[in-house]
Amino acid sequence: MAQLPDLLPDSAVKPDRWAQFRGLSPWQAGGTVLPLVLIVVGGLLGGLAGGAATMINLKIARSGLSSAMQALAMVGVVLAAAIAYLVAAALLSAALG
């Protein structure tokens, strides 16, 4: 008996937006999304810095580092993103004003 072809393309299946956060502990998930606060504070520039920091923190959370090292690295990434936002905002302000 012939096998019927799959008539539904893979693109018709709705992707799971939260799949990359599944399996993380609550503190890891919180540390991963913490940089997104920069969106509220900094608009587009804050969103760019916060989005990049979120992706980096997600990689850190999935790494094999110990919990203490993951926490320190995530805090460092959040601070670096905030500093990068402040420097970019200052440079843009100086260039425009």
Side-chain angles (χ1 to χ4, degrees), residues 3-61:
Q3 188 174 3
L4 295 174
D6 186 13
L7 298 177
L8 289 176
D10 290 336
S11 63
V13 177
K14 194 171 188 178
D16 183 10
R17 293 183 189 180
W18 304 105
Q20 54 194 349
F21 296 100
R22 296 197 197 288
L24 295 179
S25 67
W27 75 266
Q28 287 174 322
T32 298
V33 298
L34 180 63
L36 294 179
V37 171
L38 287 173
I39 294 173
V40 176
V41 175
L44 178 64
L45 286 178
L48 290 172
T54 296
M55 292 294 111
I56 294 169
N57 275 352
L58 186 60
K59 288 183 185 280
I60 292 170

